[in-house]
Amino acid sequence: MTIATDLIQPDRGQDAIAIHLVNSDSFESFAKGLSGPQRAALGAQKFKGSGYQVGIVPDGDGWFAVGGVADPQDLSSWCLAKLAEKLPAGTYRLADIKPGSAMFGWQTAQYRFTRYRDDSDAEGPRVLLTEDVAKIELVSAEAQAAVLVRDLVNTPAEDMGPAGLEAEAERIAKAQDAEITVTRGDALEKDFPMVHAVGRAAERKHAPRLIELEWGDKSHPRVAIVGKGVCFDSGGLDIKNSRGMLLMKKDMGGAAHALALAELIMKAGLKVRLHCIVPAVENAIAGNAFRPGDVLNSRKGLSVEIGNTDAEGRLILGDALTLASEGEPDLIIDFATLTGAARVALGPDLPALMARRDQTAEQLIAAGKAHDDEPWRLPLPEGYREWLKSDIADTNNTHTNGYAGASVAGLFLDKFVGEDIDWAHFDTFAWRPTAKPGRSKGGAALGLRAAFHALRGRYG
């Protein structure tokens, strides 16, 4: 992990620097209580109380900080993030208010991806004190989960191939006393034929695998979390151009979300029987790569004509969703960096959500809004199912008219989810192209907190 684990600590009266929060409406009143030199200091910093502004105010032999927020009495996850990024290393406490959900952004703002460079010159941590001790453990676990997604997605494919995802699953299993099962290489061909077909062209060190984690009391409701683990996507024989390939280390972002969510569920002790499934492959090019026009078998028994080898994520998810359905779960949630169409529709910040049941979609959306991680629902239109028809197989993996790409991909996945099972699908970008306070450029957890808090409300 590349954030410290003790950035939020219980307030027991330790020495700390005060942080006062204001907005543009309340700043004038706040400034009247300051001395002339203090007002001059803020004026020199052009501080006016606007959002994300940070000011330093001299106070005798010391100083205090002032932060601009939208509403000083109603803090979002990101209200303290700029302060955590810009203030000097040290220990701080808010004046007159508890940090609440802003503890999350205080931690994620201090994220650094340091695997490949020396960060020893970076300034030390900024620690926030709070009297709200009961929330520290949960919010810190959420921040660590979000950082895990960032770390996994930011790591290049050479070091985060299928074996890297397996190693991460093993770490989680050991730490949380979960059971892990891994099926690798040619052993996949019989039971997970689409996972095998997509991954078979990769070199041996990046051989495909199907990773399963099981955890929890068997008497509790079964919940399956599935994540697309395409560790690099060349496009296969329908090869991407160089620009299209540049970010394809992030195509395992769904797997990163699934593993992070699984660990978060375990740490929180939710009353579920958890089944986490990650099909992990590299979609490579070689003489044994699957081809456009091939017909693949699937675990479910459906035959799938390959209209495009670059629509490979839905294939490996098909086998994984079939496996998840066999356990007759109360709920399945899958995460995938599945379609460019979802990004065209919603941009980088909003994960697309598709769900069979309105109530489940509403729970996920409400949880996301409450925790600054809002998904946006897209439909699964019955009338579009015919676009996946094949002349020679049970279904094609793509459609050709170019319309509603995210929804049609969701409809393909729906074919592999058991009948009447409650299922939700996140088509998430897992990447932030530009930095925002608390949200660094690069790998991003989008939909993670929405899913966790919906599960917490349902099974907590």
Side-chain angles (χ1 to χ4, degrees):
M1 293 296 181
T2 44
I3 60 170
T5 57
D6 56 355
L7 296 176
I8 309 291
Q9 296 181 15
D11 191 344
R12 298 190 176 95
Q14 306 96 309
D15 289 339
I17 298 166
I19 299 173
H20 296 265
L21 300 180
V22 299
N23 59 14
S24 55
D25 293 332
S26 64
F27 174 61
E28 184 176 348
S29 175
F30 172 79
K32 288 179 180 178
L34 303 178
S35 68
Q38 289 174 328
R39 287 194 297 271
L42 285 177
Q45 298 168 68
K46 298 182 180 180
F47 186 94
K48 297 180 179 179
S50 301
Y52 297 132
Q53 281 194 307
V54 177
I56 301 294
V57 182
D59 187 22
D61 294 333
W63 58 276
F64 61 85
V66 185
V69 298
D71 184 347
Q73 301 302 316
D74 185 16
L75 303 185
S76 76
S77 296
W78 315 117
C79 281
L80 302 182
K82 199 69 174 181
L83 289 153
E85 292 174 4
K86 295 297 185 182
L87 289 174
T91 302
Y92 297 87
R93 68 163 56 86
L94 294 186
D96 304 323
I97 190 173
K98 293 180 179 179
S101 61
M103 289 188 284
F104 180 82
W106 180 273
Q107 296 174 86
T108 60
Q110 299 184 59
Y111 171 81
R112 302 290 183 273
F113 183 64
T114 58
R115 179 164 179 165
Y116 300 102
R117 63 183 179 188
D118 184 5
D119 199 42
S120 58
D121 292 336
E123 197 165 4
R126 292 88 169 164
V127 174
L128 183 67
L129 304 180
T130 178
E131 296 176 355
D132 202 355
V133 176
K135 290 185 178 179
I136 294 176
E137 184 176 359
L138 180 62
V139 177
S140 295
E142 288 180 49
Q144 292 291 335
V147 162
L148 175 59
V149 174
R150 293 183 187 183
D151 275 350
L152 296 181
V153 173
N154 285 334
T155 303
E158 183 64 16
D159 296 324
M160 191 49 64
L165 289 179
E166 180 182 338
E168 193 59 37
E170 287 177 343
R171 178 196 67 78
I172 293 170
K174 183 177 180 180
Q176 304 300 328
D177 196 24
E179 302 170 18
I180 183 169
T181 304
V182 183
T183 307
R184 303 179 190 87
D186 289 341
L188 292 161
E189 188 169 10
K190 178 182 177 183
D191 292 330
F192 305 101
M194 293 199 292
V195 179
H196 179 265
V198 173
R200 70 192 183 200
E203 62 174 317
R204 188 170 182 177
K205 67 180 283 189
H206 296 311
R209 59 207 70 197
L210 192 289
I211 304 163
E212 295 181 76
L213 290 174
E214 293 262 8
W215 173 89
D217 190 327
K218 293 182 179 180
S219 67
H220 290 157
R222 191 170 182 84
V223 171
I225 307 295
V226 180
K228 171 189 167 185
V230 178
C231 297
F232 189 81
D233 182 17
S234 69
L237 294 178
D238 286 309
I239 189 170
K240 296 178 184 288
N241 61 28
S242 59
R243 183 176 180 183
M245 255 189 265
L246 190 59
L247 281 182
M248 284 301 100
K249 69 176 184 179
K250 79 168 188 66
D251 211 20
M252 40 59 69
H257 280 73
L259 291 171
L261 178 58
E263 185 172 33
L264 191 51
I265 289 169
M266 296 177 202
K267 285 182 176 180
L270 298 193
K271 294 180 176 9
V272 299
R273 175 62 174 171
L274 178 65
H275 190 196
C276 178
I277 305 171
V278 172
V281 302
E282 179 180 346
N283 188 19
I285 299 171
N288 64 337
F290 75 119
R291 311 166 187 84
D294 281 354
V295 175
L296 304 184
N297 292 321
S298 68
R299 182 178 180 88
K300 187 159 187 176
L302 294 174
S303 57
V304 181
E305 182 183 6
I306 303 304
N308 192 317
T309 63
D310 197 21
E312 83 299 327
R314 65 196 69 182
L315 299 174
I316 66 171
L317 284 173
D319 278 351
L321 289 167
T322 299
L323 174 64
S325 299
E326 290 166 5
E328 298 182 348
D330 189 58
L331 173 65
I332 298 175
I333 298 177
D334 80 76
F335 293 87
T337 52
L338 205 62
T339 67
R343 304 287 65 78
V344 171
L346 300 177
D349 292 353
L350 292 172
L353 168 66
M354 282 156 261
R356 283 179 168 178
R357 298 182 186 175
D358 292 343
Q359 183 178 10
T360 298
E362 290 163 4
Q363 289 170 346
L364 289 163
I365 292 168
K369 285 183 177 179
H371 295 89
D372 304 300
D373 187 27
E374 183 180 359
W376 198 273
R377 191 178 185 186
L378 295 182
L380 293 168
E382 285 295 321
Y384 294 172
R385 289 185 187 274
E386 64 183 31
W387 295 352
L388 288 167
K389 284 183 178 178
S390 165
D391 292 335
I392 61 172
D394 293 321
T395 185
N396 204 300
N397 75 323
T398 59
H399 64 307
T400 58
N401 62 30
Y403 299 136
S407 289
V408 175
L411 289 168
F412 179 87
L413 297 182
D414 182 73
K415 294 174 181 286
F416 297 89
V417 179
E419 188 175 354
D420 296 328
I421 291 177
D422 191 2
W423 165 64
H425 160 61
F426 282 92
D427 188 336
T428 184
F429 194 36
W431 189 262
R432 188 167 295 284
T434 56
K436 295 182 178 180
R439 294 150 285 180
S440 56
K441 179 180 178 180
L446 299 166
L448 176 70
R449 296 178 82 200
F452 172 66
H453 284 283
L455 290 171
R456 188 165 171 254
R458 188 161 166 171
Y459 302 108

Short mmCIF file of all heavy atoms in Angstrom, two decimals, residues 117-150:
data_model
loop_
_atom_site.label_atom_id
_atom_site.label_comp_id
_atom_site.label_asym_id
_atom_site.label_seq_id
_atom_site.Cartn_x
_atom_site.Cartn_y
_atom_site.Cartn_z
N ARG A 117 9.99 4.26 -8.34
CA ARG A 117 10.87 5.41 -8.13
C ARG A 117 10.99 5.69 -6.64
O ARG A 117 10.10 5.36 -5.85
CB ARG A 117 10.34 6.64 -8.87
CG ARG A 117 8.99 7.14 -8.39
CD ARG A 117 8.53 8.31 -9.24
NE ARG A 117 7.23 8.80 -8.82
CZ ARG A 117 6.53 9.70 -9.49
NH1 ARG A 117 7.02 10.20 -10.61
NH2 ARG A 117 5.36 10.11 -9.05
N ASP A 118 12.11 6.30 -6.30
CA ASP A 118 12.40 6.63 -4.90
C ASP A 118 11.57 7.83 -4.48
O ASP A 118 11.67 8.91 -5.09
CB ASP A 118 13.90 6.93 -4.77
CG ASP A 118 14.30 7.19 -3.32
OD1 ASP A 118 13.45 7.05 -2.43
OD2 ASP A 118 15.47 7.54 -3.11
N ASP A 119 10.78 7.66 -3.44
CA ASP A 119 9.94 8.75 -2.95
C ASP A 119 10.40 9.20 -1.57
O ASP A 119 9.64 9.78 -0.81
CB ASP A 119 8.48 8.28 -2.90
CG ASP A 119 7.50 9.45 -2.85
OD1 ASP A 119 7.71 10.43 -3.59
OD2 ASP A 119 6.52 9.38 -2.08
N SER A 120 11.66 8.92 -1.27
CA SER A 120 12.16 9.20 0.08
C SER A 120 12.22 10.69 0.39
O SER A 120 12.26 11.09 1.56
CB SER A 120 13.54 8.58 0.28
OG SER A 120 14.46 9.07 -0.69
N ASP A 121 12.25 11.53 -0.65
CA ASP A 121 12.29 12.97 -0.42
C ASP A 121 10.90 13.58 -0.18
O ASP A 121 10.79 14.77 0.12
CB ASP A 121 12.94 13.68 -1.62
CG ASP A 121 14.42 13.34 -1.76
OD1 ASP A 121 15.03 12.98 -0.74
OD2 ASP A 121 14.95 13.42 -2.88
N ALA A 122 9.86 12.77 -0.34
CA ALA A 122 8.50 13.28 -0.14
C ALA A 122 8.30 13.66 1.33
O ALA A 122 8.85 13.04 2.24
CB ALA A 122 7.48 12.25 -0.55
N GLU A 123 7.48 14.69 1.53
CA GLU A 123 7.22 15.15 2.90
C GLU A 123 6.43 14.10 3.65
O GLU A 123 5.65 13.34 3.07
CB GLU A 123 6.46 16.47 2.85
CG GLU A 123 6.50 17.21 4.17
CD GLU A 123 6.06 18.65 4.04
OE1 GLU A 123 5.66 19.05 2.93
OE2 GLU A 123 6.11 19.38 5.03
N GLY A 124 6.65 14.04 4.96
CA GLY A 124 6.00 13.03 5.78
C GLY A 124 4.50 13.16 5.84
O GLY A 124 3.91 14.07 5.24
N PRO A 125 3.82 12.29 6.56
CA PRO A 125 2.36 12.25 6.55
C PRO A 125 1.71 13.41 7.28
O PRO A 125 2.29 14.03 8.17
CB PRO A 125 2.05 10.93 7.27
CG PRO A 125 3.22 10.71 8.16
CD PRO A 125 4.40 11.24 7.41
N ARG A 126 0.47 13.70 6.87
CA ARG A 126 -0.39 14.64 7.58
C ARG A 126 -1.42 13.81 8.32
O ARG A 126 -2.19 13.07 7.71
CB ARG A 126 -1.11 15.59 6.63
CG ARG A 126 -0.20 16.59 5.91
CD ARG A 126 0.34 16.02 4.63
NE ARG A 126 0.99 17.04 3.82
CZ ARG A 126 1.79 16.77 2.81
NH1 ARG A 126 2.03 15.52 2.48
NH2 ARG A 126 2.33 17.74 2.12
N VAL A 127 -1.42 13.89 9.61
CA VAL A 127 -2.30 13.09 10.46
C VAL A 127 -3.47 13.96 10.92
O VAL A 127 -3.27 15.11 11.33
CB VAL A 127 -1.53 12.53 11.68
CG1 VAL A 127 -2.49 11.82 12.63
CG2 VAL A 127 -0.42 11.60 11.22
N LEU A 128 -4.67 13.42 10.85
CA LEU A 128 -5.87 14.12 11.30
C LEU A 128 -6.43 13.45 12.55
O LEU A 128 -6.62 12.22 12.56
CB LEU A 128 -6.93 14.12 10.20
CG LEU A 128 -8.22 14.89 10.50
CD1 LEU A 128 -7.94 16.39 10.63
CD2 LEU A 128 -9.27 14.63 9.41
N LEU A 129 -6.68 14.25 13.57
CA LEU A 129 -7.28 13.74 14.81
C LEU A 129 -8.79 13.90 14.76
O LEU A 129 -9.31 14.87 14.20
CB LEU A 129 -6.73 14.49 16.01
CG LEU A 129 -5.21 14.51 16.19
CD1 LEU A 129 -4.84 15.32 17.44
CD2 LEU A 129 -4.65 13.09 16.28
N THR A 130 -9.50 12.96 15.36
CA THR A 130 -10.95 13.05 15.43
C THR A 130 -11.47 12.40 16.70
O THR A 130 -10.91 11.40 17.17
CB THR A 130 -11.61 12.39 14.21
OG1 THR A 130 -13.04 12.48 14.34
CG2 THR A 130 -11.23 10.93 14.08
N GLU A 131 -12.54 12.97 17.24
CA GLU A 131 -13.23 12.36 18.37
C GLU A 131 -14.19 11.27 17.91
O GLU A 131 -14.69 10.49 18.73
CB GLU A 131 -14.00 13.43 19.14
CG GLU A 131 -13.11 14.50 19.77
CD GLU A 131 -13.92 15.60 20.43
OE1 GLU A 131 -15.16 15.56 20.32
OE2 GLU A 131 -13.32 16.48 21.07
N ASP A 132 -14.43 11.20 16.61
CA ASP A 132 -15.38 10.22 16.06
C ASP A 132 -14.65 8.89 15.85
O ASP A 132 -14.49 8.40 14.72
CB ASP A 132 -15.95 10.74 14.74
CG ASP A 132 -17.27 10.09 14.39
OD1 ASP A 132 -17.69 9.17 15.12
OD2 ASP A 132 -17.87 10.50 13.37
N VAL A 133 -14.23 8.29 16.96
CA VAL A 133 -13.36 7.13 16.92
C VAL A 133 -14.03 5.93 16.25
O VAL A 133 -13.37 5.14 15.55
CB VAL A 133 -12.91 6.75 18.35
CG1 VAL A 133 -12.08 5.48 18.36
CG2 VAL A 133 -12.13 7.91 18.96
N ALA A 134 -15.33 5.82 16.39
CA ALA A 134 -16.04 4.67 15.86
C ALA A 134 -15.95 4.57 14.34
O ALA A 134 -16.06 3.48 13.78
CB ALA A 134 -17.51 4.71 16.28
N LYS A 135 -15.73 5.70 13.67
CA LYS A 135 -15.70 5.70 12.20
C LYS A 135 -14.31 5.48 11.62
O LYS A 135 -14.18 5.25 10.42
CB LYS A 135 -16.26 7.02 11.67
CG LYS A 135 -17.75 7.18 11.87
CD LYS A 135 -18.25 8.45 11.20
CE LYS A 135 -19.76 8.60 11.35
NZ LYS A 135 -20.26 9.84 10.72
N ILE A 136 -13.28 5.58 12.45
CA ILE A 136 -11.93 5.55 11.92
C ILE A 136 -11.63 4.25 11.19
O ILE A 136 -11.12 4.24 10.05
CB ILE A 136 -10.90 5.78 13.05
CG1 ILE A 136 -11.02 7.19 13.61
CG2 ILE A 136 -9.48 5.54 12.53
CD1 ILE A 136 -10.10 7.46 14.79
N GLU A 137 -11.93 3.13 11.81
CA GLU A 137 -11.56 1.83 11.24
C GLU A 137 -12.24 1.60 9.89
O GLU A 137 -11.60 1.18 8.92
CB GLU A 137 -11.92 0.71 12.21
CG GLU A 137 -11.48 -0.67 11.73
CD GLU A 137 -11.75 -1.77 12.74
OE1 GLU A 137 -12.26 -1.45 13.85
OE2 GLU A 137 -11.46 -2.94 12.44
N LEU A 138 -13.54 1.91 9.82
CA LEU A 138 -14.27 1.65 8.58
C LEU A 138 -13.80 2.56 7.45
O LEU A 138 -13.52 2.10 6.34
CB LEU A 138 -15.77 1.84 8.81
CG LEU A 138 -16.65 1.61 7.57
CD1 LEU A 138 -16.53 0.18 7.07
CD2 LEU A 138 -18.10 1.95 7.88
N VAL A 139 -13.68 3.87 7.75
CA VAL A 139 -13.27 4.80 6.69
C VAL A 139 -11.84 4.53 6.25
O VAL A 139 -11.52 4.63 5.06
CB VAL A 139 -13.45 6.26 7.14
CG1 VAL A 139 -12.97 7.22 6.07
CG2 VAL A 139 -14.90 6.55 7.48
N SER A 140 -10.99 4.15 7.17
CA SER A 140 -9.62 3.82 6.80
C SER A 140 -9.56 2.56 5.94
O SER A 140 -8.77 2.48 4.99
CB SER A 140 -8.76 3.64 8.06
OG SER A 140 -8.66 4.87 8.78
N ALA A 141 -10.41 1.59 6.24
CA ALA A 141 -10.47 0.38 5.40
C ALA A 141 -10.96 0.72 3.99
O ALA A 141 -10.45 0.18 3.00
CB ALA A 141 -11.39 -0.65 6.05
N GLU A 142 -11.92 1.64 3.89
CA GLU A 142 -12.38 2.07 2.56
C GLU A 142 -11.26 2.74 1.78
O GLU A 142 -11.08 2.51 0.58
CB GLU A 142 -13.55 3.04 2.71
CG GLU A 142 -14.85 2.42 3.15
CD GLU A 142 -15.94 3.48 3.26
OE1 GLU A 142 -16.10 4.26 2.30
OE2 GLU A 142 -16.62 3.52 4.29
N ALA A 143 -10.51 3.61 2.47
CA ALA A 143 -9.41 4.29 1.80
C ALA A 143 -8.35 3.30 1.34
O ALA A 143 -7.82 3.40 0.22
CB ALA A 143 -8.80 5.33 2.73
N GLN A 144 -8.05 2.32 2.17
CA GLN A 144 -7.06 1.31 1.79
C GLN A 144 -7.57 0.49 0.60
O GLN A 144 -6.79 0.12 -0.30
CB GLN A 144 -6.76 0.40 2.97
CG GLN A 144 -6.02 1.06 4.13
CD GLN A 144 -4.59 1.43 3.78
OE1 GLN A 144 -3.99 0.84 2.90
NE2 GLN A 144 -4.04 2.42 4.47
N ALA A 145 -8.87 0.23 0.54
CA ALA A 145 -9.43 -0.51 -0.60
C ALA A 145 -9.31 0.30 -1.88
O ALA A 145 -8.95 -0.23 -2.94
CB ALA A 145 -10.89 -0.87 -0.32
N ALA A 146 -9.61 1.60 -1.80
CA ALA A 146 -9.49 2.45 -2.97
C ALA A 146 -8.04 2.53 -3.44
O ALA A 146 -7.76 2.53 -4.65
CB ALA A 146 -10.02 3.85 -2.66
N VAL A 147 -7.12 2.57 -2.50
CA VAL A 147 -5.71 2.63 -2.83
C VAL A 147 -5.24 1.31 -3.43
O VAL A 147 -4.38 1.29 -4.33
CB VAL A 147 -4.90 3.01 -1.57
CG1 VAL A 147 -3.43 2.67 -1.72
CG2 VAL A 147 -5.07 4.49 -1.28
N LEU A 148 -5.78 0.20 -2.97
CA LEU A 148 -5.44 -1.09 -3.57
C LEU A 148 -5.82 -1.11 -5.05
O LEU A 148 -5.04 -1.56 -5.90
CB LEU A 148 -6.14 -2.23 -2.82
CG LEU A 148 -5.97 -3.62 -3.43
CD1 LEU A 148 -4.50 -4.01 -3.50
CD2 LEU A 148 -6.77 -4.66 -2.63
N VAL A 149 -7.02 -0.62 -5.37
CA VAL A 149 -7.40 -0.53 -6.79
C VAL A 149 -6.40 0.31 -7.56
O VAL A 149 -5.93 -0.08 -8.64
CB VAL A 149 -8.83 0.05 -6.93
CG1 VAL A 149 -9.16 0.28 -8.41
CG2 VAL A 149 -9.86 -0.87 -6.30
N ARG A 150 -6.04 1.46 -7.01
CA ARG A 150 -5.08 2.33 -7.69
C ARG A 150 -3.75 1.61 -7.92
O ARG A 150 -3.18 1.66 -9.01
CB ARG A 150 -4.83 3.60 -6.86
CG ARG A 150 -6.01 4.53 -6.76
CD ARG A 150 -5.62 5.78 -5.98
NE ARG A 150 -6.75 6.65 -5.71
CZ ARG A 150 -6.66 7.82 -5.09
NH1 ARG A 150 -5.48 8.27 -4.68
NH2 ARG A 150 -7.74 8.55 -4.87
#
